[in-house]
């Protein structure tokens, strides 16, 4: 039961990210700060996100939210938890 609640919360987090990508103001994307990457892939993605125009940042954030919520929805639907 706890697993279902936690997976549902993670799906809501993904939906929140997608909503933030659509409805956030341009200033909030310009003021983002990312630090503390522990591997090279996260560092490269953070550099791309920081140096990209706002439209690309919105697309990246929406895609991440979609993958996040979609992945957890898959686990919730199939019951593989």
């Amino acid at each position: 039961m706890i697993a279902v609640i936690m997976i549902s919360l993670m799906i809501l987090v993904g939906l929140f990210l997608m909503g933030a990508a659509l409805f956030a103001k341009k200033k909030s994307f310009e003021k983002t700060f990312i630090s503390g990457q522990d591997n090279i892939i996260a560092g490269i993605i953070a550099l791309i996100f920081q140096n990209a125009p706002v439209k690309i940042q919105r697309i990246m954030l929406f895609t991440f939210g979609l993958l996040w919520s979609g992945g957890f929805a898959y686990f919730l639907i199939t019951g593989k938890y």
Side-chain angles (χ1 to χ4, degrees):
M1 184 66 182
I2 298 285
V4 172
I5 294 171
M6 294 305 292
I7 290 173
S8 300
L9 287 174
M10 291 297 119
I11 291 171
L12 289 175
V13 168
L15 293 174
F16 176 76
L17 282 175
M18 293 189 313
L22 293 176
F23 300 115
K25 295 180 181 177
K26 186 176 180 180
K27 284 186 177 181
S28 64
F29 280 103
E30 293 172 352
K31 292 182 180 181
T32 55
F33 178 72
I34 300 173
S35 66
Q37 291 80 25
D38 58 349
N39 61 18
I40 191 74
I41 295 171
I44 291 171
I45 291 173
L47 282 173
I48 292 170
F49 187 79
Q50 287 293 327
N51 295 319
V54 174
K55 193 172 211 177
I56 302 299
Q57 287 179 351
R58 288 180 189 270
I59 292 170
M60 287 177 69
L61 191 62
F62 185 86
T63 304
F64 178 70
L66 183 66
L67 292 174
W68 183 269
S69 61
F72 281 105
Y74 168 77
F75 288 121
L76 184 66
I77 291 170
T78 59
K80 294 183 179 181
Y81 49 87

